[in-house]
Amino acid sequence: MSQSTLSPAVPKPDHVPESLVYDFDMFSDPGMIENAHDRALDLVKNAPPVFWTPRNEGHWVVAGHNAVFNMSRDTERFSNAMVSYEQIHGMIASLPEGAPKPLIPAPITYDPPHHAVYRGPLQRAFSPKAMAALKDSIRELAVELIEAVKPKGGCAFVDAIAEPLPVTIFLRMFGLPVERQREYRDLVKEHFEDNISDPAHVQVRLKKVTDIMHETIMDRKENPSDDLISLLWQSEFNGEKATLWDIQNYCVVLFAAGLDTVVNGMGLGAIHLAKNPELQAELRADPDKIPAATEEILRRYTFTLPPRFLSDDTEFEGVQMKKGEKAVLLLPTADLDPSEFDSPEEFNLAREGKAHIAFGTGPHRCLGSHLARFELNILYEEMMARLPEFRLDPDKPLTFHGGHVWGPNEVYLKWDN
């Protein structure tokens, strides 16, 4: 990857000391593209726990575990939205009658107390009990996908298993046609690779998502079914019935998150297992260890980088920050912080004590974490039960993508039948 692929560097603001400037491009950093979590370890060792990067229009990066934890829970100073709920709704109220409303990803861009109102309808749908009811269908699909590639002696794991497994499950939950899976995934990929922050451009990008779902959204209004879109149509917010705008706001978040995030987690887990045949043998001999392996894989290869926006001038962890600035929570480095985890670079199946924050923390903690855990555990169980010892294909080296979700572009596995 050449330096020309990096975003342009912008000048350092006057309030940022030189000691806190560190050059890192979360979308195109060459080290991250080559090996995402080796680069994360490098950042842990060489970058400040909170630093400012001149890339992608200049922003803060919060890399240390304590700093990530504290910022995640401080929604008064560090908002999930560039513009507050009150400002958004004030602007909408001033629009001419009939004018289209801007799309506002919900509930992720709403802070407390509004966040709870919009997250509420989804809490039951994504509860541990509701997700446990999906276990049989998750396992059935995992078995089908693994058995389809088993005789071939190898596979492109992301394409053959890591995409279709969670994406199919989510499309069924959402009520979207599974046969359009490839079309949906291509749009999500385009969505996550786009790092242009201009509001007008963002609106165009979000509208593409709602447009591709529009027919299904409108059908569920008239013909409700047992799916998320129908559930949202039947919800109320602050005593008001859901509108098309409300449903669209939900859909831009759920669509992108449901069709992308755990795919990357599965790819990263497959890489670690393929590189460690002794771990495969241990898990095959004692499948009861698989949940612990899942949690340690999540810690060692955490993959999300959620943004925050400064609501006011403030001091955080001894650093002066200004209203309107952006901060990125670098969860992959937080879970590799030696001040929080002993020998964090080591995969330790017997690791005890401190929990990882791969799913975030605070009010915006990942809504789909229970579903993701079921999917990951079941996938690893079936891979250990059904595949012989597998390894990475040495002729097809790994590359990674950056952005707000890190992961491998593809993982080529081989095994001997």
Side-chain angles (χ1 to χ4, degrees), residues 52-94:
W52 187 88
T53 176
R55 304 296 174 179
N56 298 298
E57 302 175 352
H59 62 86
W60 293 104
V61 176
V62 184
H65 186 280
N66 286 342
V68 167
F69 184 88
N70 292 334
M71 185 174 283
S72 298
R73 302 176 74 85
D74 188 344
T75 57
E76 289 191 11
R77 290 192 294 167
F78 306 104
S79 174
N80 250 36
M82 295 178 69
V83 182
S84 73
Y85 179 93
E86 289 75 17
Q87 289 174 308
I88 290 169
H89 285 264
M91 178 189 68
I92 289 170
S94 70

Side-chain angles (χ1 to χ4, degrees), residues 216-224 229-230 233 242-244:
T216 303
I217 291 171
M218 298 311 297
D219 179 70
R220 292 305 185 276
K221 182 180 182 181
E222 302 300 327
N223 304 291
I229 295 177
S230 301
W233 270 121
T243 65
L244 174 59

Side-chain angles (χ1 to χ4, degrees), residues 29-285:
D29 184 88
M32 181 268 301
I33 296 297
E34 183 177 345
N35 189 310
H37 290 83
D38 279 359
R39 179 58 168 142
L41 281 169
D42 181 64
L43 288 165
V44 169
K45 294 173 182 175
N46 297 304
V50 178
F51 65 86
W52 187 88
T53 176
R55 304 296 174 179
N56 298 298
E57 302 175 352
H59 62 86
W60 293 104
V61 176
V62 184
H65 186 280
N66 286 342
V68 167
F69 184 88
N70 292 334
M71 185 174 283
S72 298
R73 302 176 74 85
D74 188 344
T75 57
E76 289 191 11
R77 290 192 294 167
F78 306 104
S79 174
N80 250 36
M82 295 178 69
V83 182
S84 73
Y85 179 93
E86 289 75 17
Q87 289 174 308
I88 290 169
H89 285 264
M91 178 189 68
I92 289 170
S94 70
L95 291 172
E97 187 174 349
K101 297 179 181 179
L103 293 166
I104 312 296
I108 198 168
T109 54
Y110 293 153
D111 294 314
H114 311 290
H115 176 260
V117 172
Y118 288 87
R119 182 160 167 143
L122 298 173
Q123 289 285 78
R124 185 180 299 176
F126 283 92
S127 69
K129 182 178 179 181
M131 296 301 95
L134 298 175
K135 286 176 68 174
D136 289 346
S137 60
I138 295 170
R139 191 175 301 279
E140 180 182 349
L141 182 54
V143 169
E144 177 186 325
L145 295 169
I146 292 167
E147 290 296 330
V149 299
K150 184 176 179 179
K152 300 177 182 179
C155 69
F157 178 78
V158 173
D159 182 66
I161 296 174
E163 279 195 355
L165 176 56
V167 169
T168 300
I169 295 299
F170 192 80
L171 291 176
R172 291 172 182 171
M173 287 180 62
F174 215 59
L176 291 168
V178 174
E179 61 271 16
R180 295 182 67 185
Q181 179 178 148
R182 184 69 268 158
E183 183 183 358
Y184 296 146
R185 276 291 300 165
D186 289 344
L187 180 58
V188 167
K189 186 172 185 289
E190 176 187 330
H191 179 81
F192 275 107
E193 287 179 350
D194 192 333
N195 63 348
I196 299 173
S197 59
D198 173 70
H201 180 86
V202 170
Q203 285 297 309
V204 171
R205 192 174 76 214
L206 296 178
K207 190 173 185 302
K208 283 186 180 181
V209 175
T210 58
D211 283 351
I212 203 172
M213 304 170 67
H214 183 75
E215 183 178 345
T216 303
I217 291 171
M218 298 311 297
D219 179 70
R220 292 305 185 276
K221 182 180 182 181
E222 302 300 327
N223 304 291
S225 184
D226 183 22
D227 56 48
L228 284 175
I229 295 177
S230 301
L231 168 71
L232 293 172
W233 270 121
Q234 295 159 23
S235 301
E236 291 189 357
F237 309 102
N238 297 316
E240 300 289 334
K241 290 185 177 180
T243 65
L244 174 59
W245 183 66
D246 291 321
I247 308 304
Q248 290 173 328
N249 288 343
Y250 273 109
C251 286
V252 294
V253 170
L254 294 171
F255 182 84
L259 270 68
D260 183 79
T261 311
V262 76
V263 174
N264 296 283
M266 289 178 173
L268 292 163
I271 292 170
H272 183 81
L273 290 166
K275 287 181 174 180
N276 292 276
E278 70 288 348
L279 176 61
Q280 292 184 47
E282 186 175 0
L283 297 180
R284 287 190 178 93

Side-chain angles (χ1 to χ4, degrees), residues 1-2 27-39 157-159 189 193 263-264 267-268 271 275 392-403 405-413:
M1 171 102 20
S2 68
F27 287 90
S28 303
D29 184 88
M32 181 268 301
I33 296 297
E34 183 177 345
N35 189 310
H37 290 83
D38 279 359
R39 179 58 168 142
F157 178 78
V158 173
D159 182 66
K189 186 172 185 289
E193 287 179 350
V263 174
N264 296 283
L268 292 163
I271 292 170
K275 287 181 174 180
L392 294 175
D393 187 337
D395 297 325
K396 297 178 180 177
L398 294 166
T399 59
F400 296 80
H401 57 259
V405 184
W406 285 3
N409 294 313
E410 186 51 272
V411 181
Y412 295 96
L413 300 180

Side-chain angles (χ1 to χ4, degrees), residues 329-351:
L329 302 174
L330 195 54
L331 300 190
T333 54
D335 274 339
L336 294 171
D337 188 337
S339 68
E340 186 70 14
F341 301 99
D342 293 335
S343 303
E345 72 284 357
E346 294 179 7
F347 179 92
N348 182 356
L349 194 56
R351 190 180 295 276

